[in-house]
Amino acid sequence: MGCQCRSNDELQQLVDEAKKYTSNGTVADYIPALEKANPGDLSVAIYYPDGKGYCAGDVSGKMTLQSISKVLTLALVLMEKGEDYVFSYVGKEPTGDPFNSIAKLETNKPSKPLNPMINAGALTVTHMIEGASVTERFERILHFIRELTQNPNIGFNEDVARSEYNTADLNRSLSYFLKQHHVINEDVEELIELYSKQCAIEMDSQDLARIGCVLAMNGKDLLTGRQIIPGDIARICKTFMVTCGMYNASGEFAINVGIPAKSGVSGGIMGAVPGKCGIGIYGAALDEKGNSVAGIKILEMMAKKYSLSMFNL
Ligand SMILES: NC(=O)CC[C@H](N)C(=O)O
């Protein structure tokens, strides 16, 4: 039997406990602008479908979405292009490799990224976002995310976007490989610009929890009554979050926590507990696989305290 969180204080206790672990991690530095983050910052928010929400920690702290954005662009292209089209270009299998690995692109025949949560797959998905220009395509992603959060003020961090664009040579390599193999066919610089902006979309943990809740409730925002994402597509997104959402730590995370979740190198984690609630976390100190150290600790504690594992009903 699950029990709900009832106060910010309850969450604050978990933050205090998990904060001890922030010193075990380090902030991402391969995107130079991310290095400015404070490794000690930690915030958590939980959002229920009836509109009740609780949060604790450094709640005004904002994070860029980074890899968390991959789930949202996937939802958008599935809505626009349909399942058959999207999955003819990107697979559905976990890799067990780091998110930016190029290795399996060459060994998988015909050449097709194994899933949309690794960079090669996410670039393929972003390539499918329609529009006449990078600006128009980015506006469409932003509009969708503003709907999901019900927050018209969501924008992006220009510093982080520029910093990633200037240093994204590995993502350029992946894109050129994909172009050579006819998985994508656009100008690589435009794709990298769009992808860097998408990754730099910025929000706080409460916004993130609200998106998690929409996914948790099969794509519906129960407060407004709007079906923002079709149920089948929300299900596909959550399934990818279980199998590939925490990079090559997804298996261990499924056993220890059991919540569909997606992390990003900024230190964000979005959780979508099926039928129950959404969770947003920001903790910039990362473990060696690129997941928020304290974020994982908090999720382990929340899963136990509120019986959130989907494998433990
Ligand atoms: N793991 C991540 O969060 C990766 C996102 C980052 N923008 C990249 O493509 O390298």
Side-chain angles (χ1 to χ4, degrees):
M1 256 298 288
C3 57
Q4 287 204 356
C5 174
R6 304 228 176 273
S7 70
N8 293 344
D9 288 347
E10 268 177 47
L11 290 183
Q12 188 60 49
Q13 283 176 16
L14 304 185
V15 168
D16 292 341
E17 182 59 29
K19 235 183 168 141
K20 299 175 194 155
Y21 295 88
T22 55
S23 55
N24 297 351
T26 48
V27 301
D29 57 4
Y30 76 98
I31 298 175
L34 291 181
E35 226 178 339
K36 294 181 194 156
N38 179 356
D41 280 356
L42 184 61
S43 70
V44 60
I46 189 162
Y47 188 85
Y48 290 102
D50 61 1
K52 282 203 188 75
Y54 303 96
C55 58
D58 315 290
V59 287
S60 60
K62 284 191 177 179
M63 74 200 98
T64 54
L65 287 181
Q66 300 302 334
S67 277
I68 301 170
S69 68
K70 295 169 178 173
V71 182
L72 310 177
T73 46
L74 174 67
L76 193 55
V77 298
L78 283 170
M79 284 158 68
E80 288 180 354
K81 302 270 197 190
E83 231 180 287
D84 291 347
Y85 180 88
V86 173
F87 293 121
S88 64
Y89 290 97
V90 61
K92 298 176 183 164
E93 302 306 331
T95 66
D97 296 329
F99 62 89
N100 52 8
S101 172
I102 200 163
K104 292 216 170 82
L105 256 192
E106 198 181 10
T107 53
N108 196 38
K109 300 279 181 225
S111 224
K112 171 170 147 177
L114 274 170
N115 71 68
M117 301 294 118
I118 49 170
N119 283 11
L123 288 158
T124 304
V125 164
T126 297
H127 167 66
M128 294 179 200
I129 304 275
E130 284 169 9
S133 62
V134 168
T135 310
E136 199 181 301
R137 292 160 81 197
F138 181 60
E139 278 305 318
R140 300 200 30 252
I141 300 174
L142 212 44
H143 174 79
F144 180 54
I145 291 180
R146 287 176 180 154
E147 272 201 332
L148 286 167
T149 51
Q150 292 295 305
N151 180 353
N153 298 320
I154 300 286
F156 77 109
N157 183 319
E158 290 190 36
D159 246 14
V160 173
R162 196 176 316 110
S163 178
E164 173 157 10
Y165 179 79
N166 288 337
T167 55
D169 290 327
L170 189 48
N171 284 335
R172 282 187 179 82
S173 312
L174 292 167
S175 304
Y176 278 112
F177 193 96
L178 293 167
K179 194 169 179 180
Q180 177 72 35
H181 290 272
H182 310 293
V183 180
I184 67 167
N185 61 10
E186 71 173 296
D187 179 85
V188 167
E189 287 309 310
E190 289 195 356
L191 177 59
I192 297 295
E193 185 190 340
L194 179 57
Y195 177 77
S196 303
K197 284 187 170 155
Q198 153 197 331
C199 287
I201 291 173
E202 198 170 46
M203 63 182 62
D204 62 28
S205 43
Q206 294 175 79
D207 294 312
L208 201 56
R210 185 136 187 190
I211 304 179
C213 191
V214 173
L215 288 169
M217 302 314 288
N218 300 323
K220 194 165 184 173
D221 182 334
L222 292 197
L223 261 198
T224 60
R226 284 170 53 231
Q227 186 78 43
I228 305 176
I229 301 171
D232 266 349
I233 294 179
R235 176 181 52 79
I236 293 171
C237 291
K238 277 182 299 212
T239 312
F240 274 123
M241 288 162 74
V242 172
T243 56
C244 327
M246 303 298 282
Y247 314 124
N248 43 337
S250 299
E252 187 180 353
F253 183 83
I255 290 172
N256 293 346
V257 179
I259 295 175
K262 182 74 203 88
S263 61
V265 282
S266 53
I269 304 179
M270 172 176 74
V273 189
K276 287 189 179 162
C277 60
I279 297 170
I281 290 177
Y282 174 51
L286 308 179
D287 63 21
E288 69 287 352
K289 290 187 174 164
N291 291 314
S292 171
V293 183
I296 288 191
K297 278 286 163 210
I298 278 214
L299 282 165
E300 282 174 8
M301 292 189 279
M302 287 174 92
K304 280 207 186 82
K305 189 171 166 80
Y306 304 117
S307 306
L308 298 180
S309 171
M310 61 184 284
F311 304 109
N312 203 16
L313 295 177

